[in-house]
Amino acid sequence: ISSISNFFMGNFTGKTILIVGGSSGTGLSLVKQLAAEGASVINASRRHNEVFDQLQVQHIPTDVTGDVSALSA
């Protein structure tokens, strides 16, 4: 997807979006694109990525493979 806003036909400026699993792969690409489109992005994932700091993405350490992390998130 070259532009998320074109895909959804919207503007993400002023919007807050939660991404689950955005520390790598498709999720990280989505985090980068949404941040570039003006969204405030919150990422919930096991790993922190230095890109989050550069893009001012809030990271919530989350591991949904077990009950404890999912309940405390």
Side-chain angles (χ1 to χ4, degrees):
I1 299 171
S2 61
S3 174
I4 297 298
S5 63
N6 288 340
F7 180 76
F8 288 108
M9 302 297 217
N11 182 346
F12 293 101
T13 301
K15 306 270 197 251
T16 300
I17 299 175
L18 172 66
I19 302 293
V20 177
S23 61
S24 64
T26 303
L28 182 57
S29 295
L30 188 58
V31 166
K32 290 177 182 178
Q33 187 65 42
L34 289 168
E37 300 275 343
S40 296
V41 180
I42 302 169
N43 174 63
S45 63
R46 290 180 289 168
R47 293 180 307 276
H48 182 271
N49 189 307
E50 63 275 356
V51 171
F52 301 154
D53 299 329
Q54 297 167 0
L55 298 176
Q56 299 180 339
V57 171
Q58 181 180 349
H59 177 245
I60 301 171
T62 307
D63 184 353
V64 295
T65 61
D67 294 339
V68 175
S69 179
L71 292 174
S72 65

